[in-house]
């Protein structure tokens, strides 16, 4: 919230930055860092990737290296 009052320093110059904003901590919850949520998400994404690689090998007949070698 700003007020219309101007703040003048000791030299008579107007100081627009004299009113500092309030400092606050933004709580991000339990979803940052090494938490159980991050470990569960990492495990689920690893399982999805593993199943996708197996499906790729079943449908194409080649593994990931064989597919990349044919490019």
């Amino acid at each position: 919230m700003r007020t219309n009052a101007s703040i003048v320093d000791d030299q008579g110059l107007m100081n627009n930055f004299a009113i500092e904003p309030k400092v606050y901590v933004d709580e991000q919850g339990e979803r940052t860092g090494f938490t159980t949520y991050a470990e569960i998400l990492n495990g689920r994404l690893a399982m999805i990737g593993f199943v996708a690689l197996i499906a790729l090998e079943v449908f194409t007949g080649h593994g990931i290296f064989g597919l990349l070698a044919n490019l």
Side-chain angles (χ1 to χ4, degrees), residues 27-41:
E27 294 292 333
Q28 294 182 359
E30 294 291 326
R31 293 187 175 215
T32 59
F34 294 106
T35 61
T36 55
Y37 174 77
E39 294 297 323
I40 291 172
L41 182 64

Side-chain angles (χ1 to χ4, degrees), residues 40-56:
I40 291 172
L41 182 64
N42 187 21
R44 289 177 181 167
L45 291 175
M47 286 185 277
I48 290 172
F50 186 71
V51 169
L53 284 175
I54 290 175
L56 175 77

Side-chain angles (χ1 to χ4, degrees), residues 53-70:
L53 284 175
I54 290 175
L56 175 77
E57 189 163 350
V58 167
F59 290 128
T60 63
H62 297 286
I64 187 71
F65 295 119
L67 189 66
L68 291 175
N70 291 332

